[in-house]
Amino acid sequence: EPAPGVEYGLIVMIQLAGCLLSVVLWVLQRVASQEKTSEYLEWIKDSGWWIVLAPFWPAMLYYSLVWQVQRAERSKEKME
């Protein structure tokens, strides 16, 4: 149930940014783990930093469902 006065769209966008950053860090770690890689990626090789942002995924799913309910309620109010 969406709380009144909370803009869940903004929350979903922030959670999505965390998810995208998690994917970027995972890709960088995979690239850095290759045999011939740049010395600039040495800092992320076998670091596992992407997992720190993993909680953004279930939070994004949950809040996107709440946002969907909020949008449905708003459209229902407009129709009445």
Side-chain angles (χ1 to χ4, degrees):
E1 187 71 27
V6 177
E7 186 57 47
Y8 287 99
L10 177 63
I11 294 171
V12 170
M13 294 305 144
I14 293 169
Q15 299 293 332
L16 181 62
C19 292
L20 292 175
L21 184 57
S22 173
V23 169
V24 167
L25 289 174
W26 178 78
V27 168
L28 285 174
Q29 180 178 333
R30 298 287 293 188
V31 169
S33 297
Q34 302 298 319
E35 292 212 12
K36 295 180 182 179
T37 186
S38 171
E39 63 186 45
Y40 297 110
L41 293 177
E42 200 63 36
W43 61 274
I44 200 164
K45 183 179 180 182
D46 300 324
S47 68
W49 286 3
W50 63 273
I51 199 76
V52 172
L53 300 174
F56 280 99
W57 290 96
M60 184 195 63
L61 291 174
Y62 173 77
Y63 284 113
S64 64
L65 292 174
V66 174
W67 185 33
Q68 185 178 10
V69 170
Q70 184 183 50
R71 289 188 332 217
E73 288 177 355
R74 286 181 180 172
S75 68
K76 185 179 176 182
E77 288 173 1
K78 286 181 182 179
M79 295 194 133
E80 293 176 351

